[in-house]
Amino acid sequence: MNFNQAVKLAIAGIKGNKMRSFLTMLGVIIGVSTVIILVSVGQGSTKQVTGQIESMGSNLISVSIRGRGGVSGLNYQEALKLGDRTGVSGAAPTISGNVTVKFGTKTVDTSLEGTNDKYATVRNQKTSSGRFLLPIDITYRQKVVLLGSEVSRELFGFGNPLNQEVKINGVKFKVIGILEEKGSSMGGSNDDKVLIPITTAMRLLANPQISSISIQAKTKEDVDTVVRQLEAALLRKFKDEDNYRVFNQAEMLSTVNQVTGTLTLMLGGIAGVSLLVGGIGIMNIMLVSVTERTREIGIRKAIGAKRRDIMRQFLVEAVVVSSIGGILGILIGFLGSKGLGSLLKISTVISPQVVLLAFGFSVLVGVFFGWFPANKAARLKPIDALRFE
Amino acid sequence: MIQIKNLSKVYQTGSTMLQVLKEVSLHIRPQEFVAIIGPSGSGKSTLMNMIGCLDTPTSGSVIIDNHSTSSLSEDELAEIRNSKIGFIFQSFNLLSKLNALENVELPLIYRGVNTNERRQKAVKFLTLVGLDDRMDHLPSQLSGGQQQRVAVARALAGEPPIILADEPTGALDSKSGKELISILHRLNELGHTIVLITHDLDIAKQAKRVVRIHDGMIVSDTKAGD
């Protein structure tokens, strides 16, 4: 008996007992679809977080200053000096605070960042319209503002905000640009903020202290050296490690990847267990099927079926059941992950490797759990099988 | 064709030993029509299972077409069953989920015959037993006599030299039974060796040779006309 006939026979066997076959498959269907859904959620969030971190700029080092006033503070000039070293391509010191922005009768409470022109390249922040801050804006303490896309929408709707005047904490500013949308990240929305020149911000907030500095290293290789130099310089200045923190984007990325990778693996593992349970279901049903069909096995053996023919018949049946279950599971997993993604507004990523892996595993489950019942069937003595009632 | 020498079979159930066949020797030549008759429990079915390579003897030998069955592996025995022997059982033993044609094709599937040839042969033998208009019927849609004729066609499909019939008329009414016996006669004329197991003397009498078995021993062996 060749393989084609064995498959035909298996399909006939499955059709002959539709309800039972479906219930047997259900274990595999649930297993495969949960593997795909959970892993796609895991990989989706990994991709999202990674994308956000990367969108902050490449080779980025963030220094945040915690101290306030007096010795523990850092002013703009000191911050620039800190960033002025070989291996650094730009430094953008930032002052931040919360402000109220008003246009006409509409007001928005948002966060304000005062920074310099380097911010655009260091933080990879583009404008969707208008221009970014220029050195001249910093030097002359221009009252100009760039609006985050969310702020712009709330204040102007679909109107054009460029060259309009808004009031920030009561002071008039001219809108010179709209920041390109970046989406939200762990630190909150990147679009719900306004940018003004750092020198203007010091006056507006009445605070000359820098809260953070974004520094871009020239190359990936420079990052570590620069981080070490910065830490040494900061320690000299503050004498206390608690007053500042240096974040390395690459390090953050690998940490996040590690965490989400573990999470994905765990989710996949949990789903894998259900696939295993599905396999045990197949074995259970196949054992029942072998007992039920003992007489059939006897008849087949009497008219010349060899051990391997019987073995193949039952093994192929188990594999066909698990494979059909696997295919249905992939379809459901696909729909499920898309559905879950749009329902929970999270991004899901279905990688072909995971689909292949889940399908391959479901076939393996069929082989593994079909083996024992198939072997049991093949080993029956023809006369015993024929006499079985 | 079939040579049985000093064949014994002992069944052991717990501590009790039951000797079903005692040193049976029998020689069946090609194209013979032999009826093996005996009351139930006489060992005739066991004898048939030995001839049919469905069971293995405790001692002694069964030689079928120059193949000593005791030296063969389970798969080689399956091959002997497939190529040398056609079975007709009392309870038909058709596969209930396959139609008549597919049931007849079954021995050829295990022999690895291709689809076209298989179909041709199955149709040929179903026509021979007069069921050419019932080929796509499931066994449950056929009468007992028709089911047994499907079984005959299946036994013939592999064109085996030997047809083993175990109480073939046991589950049939007398008319179907007579028809079946006449089919067996026709097969015998076509050159098949027929071994018919029965407890019915009237049926046994229609064979050319009658072997009586009692308590696991052959008590008489007569040829027709003796």
Side-chain angles (χ1 to χ4, degrees):
Chain A
M1 186 163 61
N2 65 31
F3 185 72
N4 263 349
Q5 282 158 352
V7 172
K8 267 188 213 159
L9 198 66
I11 289 172
I14 291 162
K15 275 187 186 162
N17 222 329
K18 287 197 188 75
M19 189 63 186
R20 183 201 279 181
S21 304
F22 173 72
L23 289 176
T24 312
M25 278 174 205
L26 203 56
V28 178
I29 293 174
I30 292 171
V32 169
S33 56
T34 41
V35 166
I36 288 175
I37 292 172
L38 291 184
V39 172
S40 79
V41 168
Q43 289 189 331
S45 52
T46 306
K47 198 182 163 197
Q48 200 176 12
V49 172
T50 312
Q52 274 161 4
I53 293 172
E54 276 167 354
S55 78
M56 290 195 299
S58 49
N59 305 328
L60 181 71
I61 302 158
S62 304
V63 178
S64 62
I65 315 289
R66 289 169 171 186
R68 287 282 178 273
V71 203
S72 62
L74 200 68
N75 66 33
Y76 181 50
Q77 294 310 322
E78 286 171 316
L80 281 183
K81 223 177 107 196
L82 195 67
D84 183 22
R85 56 188 73 240
T86 51
V88 171
S89 64
T94 307
I95 293 179
S96 50
N98 293 315
V99 292
T100 308
V101 185
K102 191 170 174 193
F103 175 72
T105 54
K106 289 182 191 150
T107 53
V108 175
D109 288 316
T110 184
S111 59
L112 173 136
E113 283 181 18
T115 187
N116 65 4
D117 55 296
K118 293 280 195 299
Y119 189 92
T121 52
V122 172
R123 292 287 297 269
N124 192 26
Q125 177 67 67
K126 298 183 181 70
T127 53
S128 59
S129 64
R131 63 168 178 88
F132 203 77
L133 299 173
L134 295 173
I136 196 166
D137 297 323
I138 318 295
T139 319
Y140 290 103
R141 298 195 176 97
Q142 294 292 324
K143 294 200 177 78
V144 292
V145 63
L146 286 118
L147 302 180
S149 57
E150 242 176 87
V151 178
S152 162
R153 245 194 314 278
E154 276 181 59
L155 288 179
F156 295 94
F158 293 105
N160 184 8
L162 283 186
N163 297 319
Q164 300 280 3
E165 284 201 330
V166 295
K167 279 186 174 170
I168 302 177
N169 285 359
V171 182
K172 278 186 190 169
F173 278 76
K174 193 173 93 175
V175 177
I176 55 164
I178 307 299
L179 299 173
E180 197 173 65
E181 231 173 290
K182 278 200 162 185
S184 55
S185 73
M186 300 164 293
S189 174
N190 283 321
D191 303 317
D192 181 17
K193 67 177 181 189
V194 295
L195 281 187
I196 62 172
I198 188 165
T199 46
T200 320
M202 287 182 209
R203 290 213 172 156
L204 186 73
L205 300 173
N207 170 26
Q209 305 299 340
I210 303 295
S211 54
S212 72
I213 314 167
S214 298
I215 294 169
Q216 187 179 35
K218 273 182 184 143
T219 65
K220 241 189 189 100
E221 288 70 37
D222 287 326
V223 171
D224 282 344
T225 327
V226 172
V227 165
R228 246 176 286 125
Q229 288 174 355
L230 285 173
E231 277 172 341
L234 286 163
L235 187 63
R236 231 176 296 130
K237 161 93 181 146
F238 290 108
K239 315 272 191 280
D240 184 354
E241 286 183 359
D242 287 341
N243 283 339
Y244 61 88
R245 270 187 84 178
V246 180
F247 290 104
N248 177 346
Q249 184 203 21
E251 219 166 71
M252 202 150 79
L253 207 58
S254 80
T255 309
V256 167
N257 278 341
Q258 217 172 352
V259 170
T260 53
T262 311
L263 194 78
T264 305
L265 209 66
M266 204 175 75
L267 290 176
I270 291 168
V273 169
S274 68
L275 201 49
L276 206 68
V277 174
I280 294 169
I282 289 183
M283 177 148 81
N284 190 10
I285 294 296
M286 290 302 293
L287 280 173
V288 172
S289 174
V290 167
T291 311
E292 247 180 19
R293 286 151 73 182
T294 301
R295 210 176 158 78
E296 175 192 330
I297 295 163
I299 296 169
R300 287 179 183 278
K301 285 200 155 191
I303 60 176
K306 299 194 174 86
R307 252 187 202 185
R308 61 164 180 272
D309 293 322
I310 302 294
M311 181 89 193
R312 193 183 292 168
Q313 180 185 343
F314 283 90
L315 203 54
V316 166
E317 191 167 321
V319 172
V320 166
V321 166
S322 67
S323 308
I324 294 177
I327 290 167
L328 289 177
I330 288 169
L331 288 178
I332 292 172
F334 207 80
L335 294 177
S337 98
K338 291 277 175 239
L340 201 68
S342 63
L343 198 72
L344 302 178
K345 303 228 177 339
I346 51 176
S347 68
T348 53
V349 177
I350 297 172
S351 65
Q353 291 100 310
V354 170
V355 172
L356 275 178
L357 195 78
F359 181 70
F361 197 57
S362 71
V363 172
L364 268 182
V365 159
V367 173
F368 186 78
F369 290 103
W371 190 270
F372 178 67
N375 197 36
K376 193 184 163 198
R379 283 180 175 283
L380 283 172
K381 281 184 135 186
I383 186 67
D384 295 340
L386 264 180
R387 283 207 193 115
F388 185 85
E389 283 302 330
Chain B
M1 178 96 318
I2 303 168
Q3 200 151 17
I4 297 164
K5 272 188 196 151
N6 303 329
L7 184 72
S8 293
K9 179 70 180 178
V10 180
Y11 286 113
Q12 191 163 12
T13 39
S15 57
T16 54
M17 309 259 276
L18 182 65
Q19 186 158 17
V20 183
L21 290 177
K22 297 165 189 163
E23 303 276 317
V24 171
S25 294
L26 182 66
H27 187 203
I28 298 172
R29 288 179 191 80
Q31 297 177 31
E32 270 197 293
F33 191 135
V34 184
I36 296 174
I37 184 168
S40 61
S42 60
K44 60 183 192 303
S45 280
T46 307
L47 183 60
M48 176 186 123
N49 291 336
M50 299 291 164
I51 297 171
C53 304
L54 291 171
D55 207 350
T56 47
T58 309
S59 68
S61 68
V62 179
I63 296 166
I64 292 172
D65 212 7
N66 296 326
H67 297 280
S68 174
T69 58
S70 50
S71 63
L72 298 179
S73 72
E74 204 180 305
D75 279 354
E76 285 166 327
L77 288 177
E79 221 160 277
I80 296 273
R81 287 196 294 271
N82 186 264
S83 59
K84 304 286 182 204
I85 298 161
F87 288 94
I88 302 169
F89 299 97
Q90 179 175 6
S91 50
F92 320 139
N93 276 345
L94 298 174
L95 294 188
S96 59
K97 280 176 187 159
L98 303 184
N99 65 30
L101 194 69
E102 289 164 337
N103 263 293
V104 176
E105 278 183 357
L106 218 49
L108 299 172
I109 288 180
Y110 289 118
R111 198 181 285 185
V113 176
N114 70 49
T115 318
N116 280 336
E117 199 185 331
R118 223 160 61 206
R119 184 118 314 178
Q120 263 175 19
K121 284 195 172 167
V123 169
K124 178 179 139 194
F125 289 110
L126 276 170
T127 311
L128 186 80
V129 297
L131 286 175
D132 40 332
D133 56 341
R134 294 279 192 281
M135 292 198 284
D136 52 353
H137 285 53
L138 291 175
S140 55
Q141 297 165 326
L142 297 170
S143 72
Q146 287 169 332
Q147 287 188 54
Q148 194 59 301
R149 279 188 277 158
V150 174
V152 172
R154 184 180 65 185
L156 292 173
E159 296 172 314
I162 302 163
I163 302 285
L164 268 185
D166 184 11
E167 301 274 10
T169 58
L172 302 180
D173 59 81
S174 58
K175 181 170 166 281
S176 307
K178 270 181 199 143
E179 271 173 23
L180 187 86
I181 297 298
S182 71
I183 290 174
L184 289 180
H185 275 289
R186 211 175 334 139
L187 297 178
N188 185 231
E189 280 156 26
L190 288 171
H192 292 279
T193 307
I194 312 281
V195 180
L196 173 69
I197 313 272
T198 183
H199 66 275
D200 186 337
L201 192 60
D202 289 337
I203 289 166
K205 273 180 183 164
Q206 299 176 46
K208 293 174 188 164
R209 180 181 169 193
V210 179
V211 175
R212 280 170 189 273
I213 187 164
H214 196 82
D215 278 344
M217 285 183 288
I218 291 176
V219 290
S220 79
D221 187 345
T222 52
K223 291 221 166 78
D226 283 3

